[in-house]
Amino acid sequence: MGQAVTLARWIGTGRRPVTAGRVLRKADVAAAGAALGVDVPARLRTMADIRALYRPWCVAVAAGLLQVEDGSVTPGRRWRTGPLTMGACWPGGSRGCAR
């Protein structure tokens, strides 16, 4: 979960374009990998092929930290209420997100 929060922080409060497969474009993958400390190969097919990056992406989307729609990723419903201070989010959990 901590990596999902880190990825959401990296996305920030703006909007970034995504592919038809609903993942970051190749142009953004290296920077996202650097934010998480994940090595990204110089040649890649899609972000989804990099498990160490794709898993936190999926967790961030499922937890509501990120929202993917209309060809972009933006802060999700949990992120819009304020920045997270730690990775204490879990969908459906009673604790919610620590601020």
Side-chain angles (χ1 to χ4, degrees):
M1 182 51 83
Q3 286 187 320
V5 171
T6 299
L7 189 56
R9 282 190 185 122
W10 177 80
I11 295 293
T13 58
R15 174 179 300 271
R16 290 186 187 262
V18 295
T19 67
R22 300 173 51 92
V23 296
L24 290 172
R25 297 172 313 147
K26 289 179 187 180
D28 293 325
V29 173
L36 293 180
V38 172
D39 290 327
V40 174
R43 296 182 67 184
L44 71 130
R45 190 178 62 88
T46 175
M47 183 185 97
D49 291 342
I50 305 169
R51 177 181 259 170
L53 192 52
Y54 186 61
R55 278 185 164 176
W57 173 266
C58 291
V59 170
V61 171
L65 300 174
L66 296 175
Q67 181 174 328
V68 179
E69 64 182 10
D70 300 327
S72 297
V73 60
T74 57
R77 68 187 180 282
R78 289 187 184 238
W79 189 262
R80 287 189 297 257
T81 59
L84 300 173
T85 58
M86 61 182 277
C89 296
W90 198 254
S94 60
R95 290 178 36 177
C97 297
R99 305 226 177 267

